PDB file of all heavy atoms in Angstrom:
ATOM      1  N   VAL A 143     114.702  86.669  97.412  1.00 98.00           N
ATOM      2  CA  VAL A 143     115.625  87.307  96.473  1.00 98.00           C
ATOM      3  C   VAL A 143     114.880  88.182  95.454  1.00 98.00           C
ATOM      4  O   VAL A 143     115.153  89.383  95.353  1.00 98.00           O
ATOM      5  CB  VAL A 143     116.508  86.256  95.781  1.00 98.00           C
ATOM      6  CG1 VAL A 143     117.387  86.921  94.712  1.00 98.00           C
ATOM      7  CG2 VAL A 143     117.379  85.527  96.808  1.00 98.00           C
ATOM      8  N   PRO A 144     113.915  87.630  94.686  1.00 98.00           N
ATOM      9  CA  PRO A 144     113.181  88.530  93.774  1.00 98.00           C
ATOM     10  C   PRO A 144     112.355  89.574  94.511  1.00 98.00           C
ATOM     11  O   PRO A 144     112.132  90.680  93.990  1.00 98.00           O
ATOM     12  CB  PRO A 144     112.277  87.567  92.980  1.00 98.00           C
ATOM     13  CG  PRO A 144     112.167  86.344  93.823  1.00 98.00           C
ATOM     14  CD  PRO A 144     113.477  86.233  94.538  1.00 98.00           C
ATOM     15  N   THR A 145     111.914  89.234  95.714  1.00 98.00           N
ATOM     16  CA  THR A 145     111.171  90.221  96.501  1.00 98.00           C
ATOM     17  C   THR A 145     112.050  91.419  96.817  1.00 98.00           C
ATOM     18  O   THR A 145     111.631  92.576  96.695  1.00 98.00           O
ATOM     19  CB  THR A 145     110.659  89.583  97.803  1.00 98.00           C
ATOM     20  OG1 THR A 145     109.855  88.440  97.483  1.00 98.00           O
ATOM     21  CG2 THR A 145     109.830  90.564  98.601  1.00 98.00           C
ATOM     22  N   ALA A 146     113.289  91.144  97.219  1.00 97.00           N
ATOM     23  CA  ALA A 146     114.224  92.221  97.528  1.00 97.00           C
ATOM     24  C   ALA A 146     114.583  93.027  96.280  1.00 97.00           C
ATOM     25  O   ALA A 146     114.705  94.259  96.334  1.00 97.00           O
ATOM     26  CB  ALA A 146     115.477  91.656  98.173  1.00 97.00           C
ATOM     27  N   LEU A 147     114.744  92.356  95.158  1.00 97.00           N
ATOM     28  CA  LEU A 147     115.105  93.059  93.921  1.00 97.00           C
ATOM     29  C   LEU A 147     114.006  94.015  93.484  1.00 97.00           C
ATOM     30  O   LEU A 147     114.279  95.157  93.081  1.00 97.00           O
ATOM     31  CB  LEU A 147     115.391  92.036  92.813  1.00 97.00           C
ATOM     32  CG  LEU A 147     116.663  91.202  92.981  1.00 97.00           C
ATOM     33  CD1 LEU A 147     116.762  90.158  91.871  1.00 97.00           C
ATOM     34  CD2 LEU A 147     117.903  92.084  92.983  1.00 97.00           C
ATOM     35  N   THR A 148     112.755  93.568  93.559  1.00 97.00           N
ATOM     36  CA  THR A 148     111.653  94.456  93.166  1.00 97.00           C
ATOM     37  C   THR A 148     111.492  95.602  94.158  1.00 97.00           C
ATOM     38  O   THR A 148     111.157  96.719  93.776  1.00 97.00           O
ATOM     39  CB  THR A 148     110.341  93.670  93.056  1.00 97.00           C
ATOM     40  OG1 THR A 148     110.087  92.962  94.283  1.00 97.00           O
ATOM     41  CG2 THR A 148     110.412  92.661  91.910  1.00 97.00           C
ATOM     42  N   GLY A 149     111.747  95.332  95.435  1.00 97.00           N
ATOM     43  CA  GLY A 149     111.705  96.401  96.423  1.00 97.00           C
ATOM     44  C   GLY A 149     112.791  97.426  96.193  1.00 97.00           C
ATOM     45  O   GLY A 149     112.576  98.637  96.365  1.00 97.00           O
ATOM     46  N   THR A 150     113.957  96.952  95.785  1.00 96.00           N
ATOM     47  CA  THR A 150     115.058  97.863  95.486  1.00 96.00           C
ATOM     48  C   THR A 150     114.708  98.780  94.318  1.00 96.00           C
ATOM     49  O   THR A 150     115.042  99.975  94.318  1.00 96.00           O
ATOM     50  CB  THR A 150     116.323  97.059  95.153  1.00 96.00           C
ATOM     51  OG1 THR A 150     116.689  96.264  96.293  1.00 96.00           O
ATOM     52  CG2 THR A 150     117.482  97.970  94.793  1.00 96.00           C
ATOM     53  N   ALA A 151     114.029  98.228  93.328  1.00 97.00           N
ATOM     54  CA  ALA A 151     113.624  99.049  92.178  1.00 97.00           C
ATOM     55  C   ALA A 151     112.646 100.140  92.595  1.00 97.00           C
ATOM     56  O   ALA A 151     112.715 101.272  92.092  1.00 97.00           O
ATOM     57  CB  ALA A 151     112.991  98.153  91.111  1.00 97.00           C
ATOM     58  N   GLU A 152     111.748  99.826  93.514  1.00 97.00           N
ATOM     59  CA  GLU A 152     110.827 100.847  94.008  1.00 97.00           C
ATOM     60  C   GLU A 152     111.583 101.903  94.822  1.00 97.00           C
ATOM     61  O   GLU A 152     111.323 103.099  94.706  1.00 97.00           O
ATOM     62  CB  GLU A 152     109.746 100.199  94.879  1.00 97.00           C
ATOM     63  CG  GLU A 152     108.809  99.273  94.136  1.00 97.00           C
ATOM     64  CD  GLU A 152     107.968  99.982  93.102  1.00 97.00           C
ATOM     65  OE1 GLU A 152     107.611 101.149  93.315  1.00 97.00           O
ATOM     66  OE2 GLU A 152     107.670  99.362  92.060  1.00 97.00           O
ATOM     67  N   TRP A 153     112.514 101.451  95.643  1.00 97.00           N
ATOM     68  CA  TRP A 153     113.278 102.373  96.495  1.00 97.00           C
ATOM     69  C   TRP A 153     114.087 103.364  95.668  1.00 97.00           C
ATOM     70  O   TRP A 153     114.236 104.532  96.047  1.00 97.00           O
ATOM     71  CB  TRP A 153     114.205 101.578  97.403  1.00 97.00           C
ATOM     72  CG  TRP A 153     115.118 102.444  98.206  1.00 97.00           C
ATOM     73  CD1 TRP A 153     114.840 103.080  99.377  1.00 97.00           C
ATOM     74  CD2 TRP A 153     116.483 102.776  97.889  1.00 97.00           C
ATOM     75  NE1 TRP A 153     115.933 103.795  99.820  1.00 97.00           N
ATOM     76  CE2 TRP A 153     116.956 103.624  98.920  1.00 97.00           C
ATOM     77  CE3 TRP A 153     117.344 102.439  96.849  1.00 97.00           C
ATOM     78  CZ2 TRP A 153     118.246 104.130  98.927  1.00 97.00           C
ATOM     79  CZ3 TRP A 153     118.634 102.954  96.853  1.00 97.00           C
ATOM     80  CH2 TRP A 153     119.068 103.789  97.888  1.00 97.00           C
ATOM     81  N   ALA A 154     114.605 102.913  94.536  1.00 95.00           N
ATOM     82  CA  ALA A 154     115.468 103.769  93.721  1.00 95.00           C
ATOM     83  C   ALA A 154     114.755 105.020  93.229  1.00 95.00           C
ATOM     84  O   ALA A 154     115.412 106.011  92.889  1.00 95.00           O
ATOM     85  CB  ALA A 154     116.006 102.977  92.530  1.00 95.00           C
ATOM     86  N   ALA A 155     113.425 104.997  93.184  1.00 93.00           N
ATOM     87  CA  ALA A 155     112.668 106.157  92.704  1.00 93.00           C
ATOM     88  C   ALA A 155     112.189 107.054  93.833  1.00 93.00           C
ATOM     89  O   ALA A 155     111.425 107.983  93.599  1.00 93.00           O
ATOM     90  CB  ALA A 155     111.473 105.677  91.874  1.00 93.00           C
ATOM     91  N   THR A 156     112.635 106.795  95.060  1.00 96.00           N
ATOM     92  CA  THR A 156     112.187 107.596  96.197  1.00 96.00           C
ATOM     93  C   THR A 156     113.208 108.680  96.523  1.00 96.00           C
ATOM     94  O   THR A 156     114.320 108.693  95.988  1.00 96.00           O
ATOM     95  CB  THR A 156     111.976 106.718  97.438  1.00 96.00           C
ATOM     96  OG1 THR A 156     113.224 106.100  97.799  1.00 96.00           O
ATOM     97  CG2 THR A 156     110.938 105.650  97.172  1.00 96.00           C
TER      98      THR A 156
END
Side-chain angles (χ1 to χ4, degrees):
V143 175
T145 303
L147 290 176
T148 54
T150 299
E152 294 295 327
W153 174 83
T156 61

